[in-house]
Amino acid sequence: MQKTLTLTTLLLLSVGQIALAETAAKPDTSEWVCELCPFSDGLNGDVAAGPGYVSDDNPDFGNFGGLEEEGAFVALEGDLWYRGDDGRYFLAYGDRLGLDSRHLALEGGRQGGYRLALDWKEIPWIWSDDARTFYNGAGTSNQTLPAGWVTGNTSDMALLEPNLRDIRIGHQRETVKLGAELTRPSPWRSRVDFQHTRREGNFVKGASFLFTGTELVAPLDEETTLVEAAVGYVRESWQLEGAYQVSLFESNDNSVRWDNPFPSFNGGDRGELSLAPDNEFHQFVVSGSWRPSRAWNVAGQVAFGRATQDEAFLAPTLNDSLAVPALPVTSLDGQVDTRIANFRVNGHFSDRLRGRLVVRYDDRDNATDQNLYTAAVTDTFVAGPFANQPYSYERRSAEAALDYRVRRELILTASASREATDRDFQEVGETTTNGFSLGARANPDERLTVRAKIARESRSNDLDPALLNPFENPALRRYHFAEKDRDLFRLAADLAINERWTAGAFVELAEERYDDTMIGLSEADSQQFGLDLSARFGRAITASGFVARELLDAEILGADNIIGAPWRATTDDEFLTAGLALDFAELPGRWMNAGLRLTYASADGEIQIEKRGDAPPFPELQTRRYLLEADIERELGERLSLNLGYMLARAREDDFYRDGVGPTTLPNYISLGKVSPDRTVHVFRMMLRYRFQ
């Protein structure tokens, strides 16, 4: 008895000593403040606002960014979140709110109850701010010549130069999304998502009368509405959801009309081109998944849809001198039925072997009626009749893959796939594509990871040249139908050099051959190389950099239209991208952090043609882009700081398709005179940032 008490006492004393030691070793956390704890209650985050200035106009820099015009702007952004102790929450994110590229996202609800979301995004796209046009009403659906217009070649048009005026070409895209979801503690789930997108502005559209042409600035005013309503049922090992999807597209301009600035031929004084027609798409989708065990998972999806388009046809021509038969119908009354089925199963056969099987079915049944139409070609002569081709296809594919862990340091992978496509109203009725790949992932050292992959893809077809369009050369091979062999090799490695330095590198080689092609793309090769490096110097400084290079070579075969003499064209394209970033987390004094980022991109293209006689070489295509970004932040108070930012952007291009081709350069073609960019812009920004805690 005495011995037992002694052991018990010793045990209790030992436990007490351990508890005291642990208590002494633990730091005092009573004064700690967690600024970014995911479950912190109350309002957290920050907002920032201040002035900015852009030094020069630069549409290329402003594309998708909203900083295309010289002058002052307002920099406004924020990231806020609120969580209550009753599960209610609210999230707000805003970026570039003072620019045309603004983005605002709001979300709120109650965990385990409901969710409401709003997302608003605007994106500008600018094709040119230095284009010039002579048309009255440019950018609208009705464009006319200036009064007293003199026709002839461009050099004879006395009123062309005096009437040229600048026009901005581009559009603004605005997208609004709304979402609601019920997430009550029940197996049932329901959600509704709504999205409305509007694109408003203008775009370039080519117009011609026989052998003369003009670049028009056509109107762009389109709206797309997407709605999805879904109900789901979720259990521990399986789930099922049914959804109804609707897509509605509406164009507020159905055509663009223009006057012929050249001498008319056969009465072609005025032309009309159609714009995108209104259409809609409805689809019902059932998707689900089942996990019969911890090792296996099955997922699938089935969808049935219908696309319709019933916009009224335009008149075949505005040329009254052409005798064009009446249209057989007043509208296309187009209808396409779609059926999609996807099935996927993956799991573990053993501790070492894992497998995956994916089966897909995609059927597009074009049920549009066929009719015979007589065409008024460029409003100057009549051709036909021609029948519309309601293209349809049925695509079936399957892919199987295995991963085998030889040992902890080595995993081998293998996959095989097959895809068969049947088409209607095409010169190729069936294509079959077979592919396989082998790969390996090795960790010969705890600091080194190496990945390698080889793949081959082969496509065959049942080409019947007699089914080609009568205006196409029977020797033509369209590259996406042509028989093809493609080989790929990729090797990548990641290395932790030491505790501070890490590096990565990759190389990828691909080769495509179209052996049966007589006219069209016959071969294409690509080579990609990349290297990245990152380092951490203490707790305060991190640095990273990368460089990547891509080479694309292609060969295109052709034949002379007059005597059929063969010719050969080659394209050589080279792309280079590089970047460098430095981040400072701690600076002397009240300076908080700073960052510096430099990005460079270049593209070079060469085109050579070998044909009868001597052909002068094409000038080289060149593009250069530089972007330097720097920012630094200084603490002004406990929650207030000052952020200073600077950007330098440089864009330069050499494009012989555009350079030197003004509105009067060609005798039978009037261009918009867009000039390749050669501009530099500086952007300055100063913001006050307030933090909520």
Side-chain angles (χ1 to χ4, degrees):
M1 182 66 177
Q2 182 65 35
K3 184 176 181 180
T4 303
L5 288 173
T6 303
L7 291 175
T8 303
T9 303
L10 290 174
L11 180 59
L12 291 173
L13 289 173
S14 299
V15 172
Q17 290 174 349
I18 294 174
L20 289 172
E22 289 183 348
T23 303
K26 289 182 178 179
D28 182 8
T29 62
S30 60
E31 301 297 328
W32 288 13
V33 178
C34 180
E35 297 181 353
L36 299 176
C37 289
F39 301 108
S40 59
D41 295 335
L43 182 63
N44 291 270
D46 62 81
V47 294
Y53 183 78
V54 181
S55 65
D56 298 278
D57 293 340
N58 192 334
D60 295 273
F61 178 65
N63 269 346
F64 313 109
L67 294 171
E68 70 278 3
E69 294 183 357
E70 176 186 353
F73 67 92
V74 176
L76 178 61
E77 62 186 39
D79 190 3
L80 299 172
W81 63 95
Y82 169 84
R83 295 185 184 275
D85 54 10
D86 59 352
R88 288 186 173 87
Y89 72 96
F90 177 76
L91 310 174
Y93 170 80
D95 185 32
R96 310 172 76 91
L97 296 178
L99 300 172
D100 292 337
S101 58
R102 57 185 60 88
H103 181 204
L104 175 65
L106 305 175
E107 181 179 328
R110 185 171 185 174
Q111 292 180 340
Y114 63 93
R115 179 187 67 87
L116 300 174
L118 166 67
D119 190 278
W120 174 37
K121 184 180 295 183
E122 292 189 21
I123 300 176
W125 183 86
I126 305 157
W127 186 73
S128 173
D129 67 347
D130 56 14
R132 296 182 297 162
T133 183
F134 59 94
Y135 274 114
N136 296 323
T140 70
S141 59
N142 186 35
Q143 305 187 24
T144 59
L145 296 171
W149 184 262
V150 179
T151 63
N153 290 334
T154 54
S155 59
D156 302 324
M157 298 176 180
L159 296 180
L160 177 56
E161 286 281 3
N163 283 279
L164 287 174
R165 64 187 185 281
D166 293 340
I167 186 169
R168 178 188 174 97
I169 302 176
H171 67 264
Q172 184 81 6
R173 183 175 67 189
E174 178 181 332
T175 301
V176 177
K177 299 179 182 179
L178 297 173
E181 182 178 6
L182 290 178
T183 57
R184 296 175 179 175
S186 163
W188 291 99
R189 301 287 187 270
S190 59
R191 60 181 175 85
V192 176
D193 295 300
F194 171 87
Q195 175 179 314
H196 182 268
T197 300
R198 180 166 188 174
R199 295 198 305 161
E200 190 172 13
N202 53 44
F203 69 104
V204 179
K205 193 172 183 67
S208 65
F209 288 91
L210 202 58
F211 300 117
T212 61
T214 306
E215 284 186 328
L216 300 178
V217 182
L220 180 65
D221 190 357
E222 301 173 346
E223 298 180 59
T224 303
T225 302
L226 305 175
V227 180
E228 181 178 24
V231 176
Y233 190 81
V234 180
R235 303 298 294 178
E236 183 177 354
S237 61
W238 62 273
Q239 60 181 356
L240 188 67
E241 182 184 73
Y244 182 65
Q245 302 167 341
V246 180
S247 173
L248 306 175
F249 174 83
E250 180 180 358
S251 176
N252 296 314
D253 293 294
N254 62 357
S255 70
V256 56
R257 294 185 176 187
W258 79 102
D259 289 341
N260 183 5
F262 294 92
S264 65
F265 176 80
N266 203 19
D269 292 324
R270 189 158 171 77
E272 183 177 32
L273 290 170
S274 65
L275 300 178
D278 296 355
N279 59 80
E280 57 186 69
F281 178 71
H282 300 258
Q283 182 170 254
F284 181 71
V285 184
V286 177
S287 58
S289 64
W290 175 45
R291 183 178 292 276
S293 67
R294 296 182 60 184
W296 290 91
N297 182 69
V298 180
Q301 181 187 70
V302 177
F304 300 91
R306 173 168 291 181
T308 57
Q309 190 269 97
D310 197 22
E311 189 79 3
F313 283 143
L314 302 177
T317 181
L318 301 180
N319 188 350
D320 295 334
S321 65
L322 294 180
V324 183
L327 292 170
V329 291
T330 59
S331 67
L332 179 68
D333 193 19
Q335 177 181 311
V336 177
D337 295 321
T338 62
R339 291 174 287 272
I340 298 174
N342 300 318
F343 175 80
R344 179 188 181 98
V345 56
N346 57 62
H348 296 263
F349 295 100
S350 66
D351 292 340
R352 293 175 176 263
L353 183 62
R354 187 174 69 178
R356 179 180 73 254
L357 174 66
V358 180
V359 179
R360 298 184 179 93
Y361 176 80
D362 184 4
D363 179 47
R364 174 190 174 98
D365 181 15
N366 194 332
T368 305
D369 292 335
Q370 273 194 292
N371 293 286
L372 292 175
Y373 299 88
T374 300
V377 182
T378 67
D379 292 282
T380 54
F381 66 92
V382 177
F386 305 104
N388 60 301
Q389 306 295 320
Y391 299 118
S392 301
Y393 67 79
E394 182 184 73
R395 181 175 295 123
R396 306 167 302 277
S397 66
E399 179 185 3
L402 293 174
D403 298 339
Y404 182 70
R405 181 168 55 85
V406 180
R407 55 174 63 92
R408 186 177 63 85
E409 303 87 2
L410 178 62
I411 298 176
L412 302 179
T413 64
S415 70
S417 64
R418 182 179 179 87
E419 178 182 281
T421 304
D422 298 327
R423 300 178 179 86
D424 294 334
F425 302 105
Q426 304 278 354
E427 73 272 19
V428 172
E430 181 180 358
T431 57
T432 302
T433 304
N434 296 311
F436 75 88
S437 68
L438 298 174
R441 175 186 173 123
N443 297 93
D445 183 85
E446 62 179 6
R447 296 177 179 269
L448 177 64
T449 300
V450 180
R451 297 174 300 277
K453 178 182 178 180
I454 60 171
R456 181 173 179 82
E457 181 183 285
S458 180
R459 182 173 64 206
S460 60
N461 63 37
D462 62 347
L463 173 71
D464 184 357
L467 297 178
L468 277 169
N469 186 295
F471 292 101
E472 293 182 358
N473 193 314
L476 175 67
R477 300 292 181 267
R478 290 190 276 180
Y479 79 94
H480 55 293
F481 288 166
E483 295 189 343
K484 177 188 74 170
D485 291 317
R486 185 176 192 270
D487 296 296
L488 178 141
F489 169 75
R490 180 179 176 87
L491 179 65
D494 295 307
L495 174 64
I497 301 173
N498 53 39
E499 293 182 355
R500 291 185 176 182
W501 292 85
T502 60
F506 79 92
V507 56
E508 180 175 299
L509 308 176
E511 185 179 273
E512 291 184 1
R513 294 293 180 266
Y514 302 84
D515 293 332
D516 69 334
T517 295
M518 294 175 281
I519 295 179
L521 180 65
S522 65
E523 62 181 64
D525 299 327
S526 70
Q527 304 173 41
Q528 298 182 54
F529 313 91
L531 176 67
D532 62 84
L533 191 66
S534 63
R536 178 178 292 275
F537 304 98
R539 297 176 52 188
I541 303 176
T542 59
S544 61
F546 75 92
V547 60
R549 188 180 184 213
E550 182 177 8
L551 305 175
L552 300 177
D553 301 326
E555 179 184 79
I556 304 170
L557 304 178
D560 193 286
N561 289 334
I562 301 175
I563 62 175
W567 55 263
R568 173 179 174 270
T570 59
T571 62
D572 298 307
D573 300 314
E574 179 179 345
F575 305 92
L576 178 66
T577 57
L580 176 66
L582 291 172
D583 290 288
F584 303 88
E586 297 177 5
L587 296 173
R590 306 193 71 176
W591 295 102
M592 301 170 59
N593 53 69
L596 179 67
R597 289 160 292 280
L598 175 63
T599 306
Y600 170 78
S602 69
D604 296 275
E606 294 183 359
I607 303 174
Q608 297 181 351
I609 296 182
E610 300 174 4
K611 58 186 299 185
R612 69 181 195 280
D614 294 329
F618 288 98
E620 185 177 0
L621 299 167
Q622 289 188 347
T623 298
R624 300 289 185 270
R625 294 284 193 275
Y626 308 84
L627 179 62
L628 173 66
E629 300 176 273
D631 64 87
I632 189 169
E633 192 160 1
R634 179 179 176 84
E635 182 183 9
L636 301 180
E638 183 180 356
R639 299 186 180 183
L640 187 65
S641 62
L642 174 67
N643 183 277
L644 302 176
Y646 169 74
M647 284 190 290
L648 167 66
R650 168 73 174 152
R652 183 180 67 81
E653 289 184 7
D654 293 327
D655 183 357
F656 67 84
Y657 288 99
R658 289 284 175 186
D659 295 341
V661 184
T664 62
T665 302
L666 303 177
N668 60 345
Y669 187 81
I670 305 176
S671 77
L672 289 167
K674 172 181 165 62
V675 179
S676 297
D678 187 2
R679 308 189 193 186
T680 302
V681 64
H682 304 267
V683 180
F684 306 90
R685 186 199 68 231
M686 179 175 62
M687 293 192 297
L688 288 175
R689 187 181 305 277
Y690 184 82
R691 292 176 176 82
F692 297 88
Q693 298 179 351

